[in-house]
Amino acid sequence: MESYPRQRARTRGFRLGAPRSIIPAPDGSRVVFVRSSSGTDAIGDLWLLDLLDPSGPREHRLVDARALIEGPEDVPEAERARRERMREVGEGIAAFTTDAAMSTACFALGGRVFIVDLTTPATDPEAASAPRELPLPPGAVDPRISPDGSRVGCVVGGNLVVTDIATGYASTIASSESDTVTWGLADFIAAEEFSRLRGWWWLADSSAILAERVDNATVDTWWIADPAHPSAPPREQRYPAAGRPNADVSLWLLDPAGEQPARQIDWDHSAFPYLSSVHVGRDAGADPVIGVLSRDQRHQQVLRVDTHAASSAAIAEHRDDAWVDIVPGVPALDRRGRLVEVLRDSDSDTDRVFVDGAAISPIGFQVRSVGDIDDDSMLVHGSSDPTEEIPVLLDADGWHPLAETGVNSARRVDRILVISSARRVTDQGTSVATSVRIARWEGQVNPVAEIASHAEEPVVAPAVQITRAGATDLPTAILWPRGHIPGTRKLPVLLAPYGGPHARRVVDSRLAFATDQWWADQGFCVVITDGRGTPGRGPAWERAVLGDLATPVLEDQISALDAVLTAHPDDTDPDRVGIHGWSFGGYLAALAVLREPDRVHAAVAGAPVTEWRLYDTAYTERYLGDPTVAATDYDRCSLLRDAEHLRRPLLLIHGLADDNVVVAHSLQLSSALLAAGRTHSVLPLSGVTHMTPQEVVAENLLLAQRDFLLTHLT
């Protein structure tokens, strides 16, 4: 049987072959989505599911991406950066857009732009139209078709270009004035920290475009080198590190025909330098709403944009002593013109949906995102249990959960729902795949079809126990080796946290624990804990890390460890405890072995932040403030100052091409350790970014970590 590390590498974490980017037609006749041909095929194709076929729902491949790629796919550098921010592991068609009627789709392949007809009867595949390439300059990024289906815009070389589909005439409607300026691309901070991956938007009536202009002239220049290929020049990157200048970001109204001059949407940029969100209405004449933030993120203005006057006016303002939360999907206007937001209700410690200032979601249900806002309804995601994710349709008739338990997501277009559900940890059998159902909303969920997934099933079947540990009921998952008989042997314990803001690891999804089960099968009791700072348990819980990203998160890992050791004294060995993690989890792993050497005896730290002054502005300053003012907080959280305390085995792993947590983090810690005379190990990954999608790297990386920990813990 194939090994799990090999399978996980080939399938890129079991994401290949799964349907994604799923868009239903407003009339409920069809659904369009991206999916590769198998669980090991990285090339995404465009598919259509015909819901009206007389013989039942039927799939058709609209675009065979491999047939359109001429040799190796030449992805533009700007698109590579976008995919890194999106954590996109696939190739081929990564995304697509459609017009409002969903009659035409457009997409990019290797910097070329194509459109394809979606209206040809799917029951007659021979009559289906072939994709047509538009005459645009090479290197196109983020193509988007206008709502009326007449034009396609895209970014080429930092310029915004629009082409008329009927005539093929293309015009550049916004040109970069210098090599530090881009139009139509999200700035680094927005994409990495605010979940705003877009940089330009069609208005609903197709009459104009809102576009972000980014000038990185004042942002520090960093260089990403490839030491394994010394003949290759280093890649220039503008990186806004904590306390240093950010990009100058502005929003402009553009004429898609290129006949009218660009007009800037103004606001107080000195007070609100961050453009955190942009939401354009669905109806002609609807006003866009934007969110802007102060540098310290404690002050937000919500602005309504007048597209006729190219002006903006504040319609809401919020302050928070810690930070104002940025929630995907809001602030936005519903189709009645009411302001929809998710705000912190301090009285109940709940993130709730507010409409024109009135809370409409229940106390205790922590709302994490809002989508598909209509005139009398909206789709929200959240839960009252941090291990779950529940989509809820909120309308005039009440509160309608679209799932009862587990980890789920949903999308809605009019009355058509796309509901994705992960297999729960308590499900019987070996399946861990996520199901994707199409349903109609008729006062209840009425299933219509299911989109097949070609994703592979892991060769390991996770057996997970989710519990609450310690005095603060920390969400904790425990995994044992398959076949382990309680009381027969004491196992080394392996902590496997992320443990920081924005991400949860303890979730009610079997697939989330496949790799952890493999680790357990290597002879460990694996313990995963979401402590203070992680999402889903309320604003106060998340704000417990304000001013200190080290002490609370480490205390909670040790608290959970103690609880597991106490509960399972005959099955766990307190003298053999290891920890491994990536990104913030890598930081936490190194932190644990440096500051708790009597409790944690070996660590693998992957892509760790070791000095917060080297990480980006928005994330770091949200929690630790301005380093020129809050130097003590930065020093408290820095690993460099703990180097002399290392007395346990530590392995640092870092991708040399990482443009998020740059390799300087691991190199500076390694230098500090060497200067202090502390032996340690470093594994550099040539050509690897913050992700590790390469098959050989991903497979052998797991094995290298296993061998290191087994060497030092058994």
Side-chain angles (χ1 to χ4, degrees), residues 587-618:
Y587 165 72
L588 183 47
L591 182 73
V593 81
L594 286 166
R595 297 192 183 178
E596 291 285 354
D598 293 331
R599 309 305 312 284
V600 180
H601 309 105
V604 175
V609 175
T610 66
E611 169 52 71
W612 288 100
R613 292 172 176 86
L614 292 175
Y615 199 56
D616 73 49
T617 52

Side-chain angles (χ1 to χ4, degrees), residues 23-25 27-32 48-51 101-103 118-119:
I23 304 178
D27 63 3
S29 63
R30 57 197 181 278
V31 176
V32 181
L48 182 145
L49 176 64
D50 181 7
L51 299 177
M102 206 168 161
S103 60
L118 302 177
T119 60

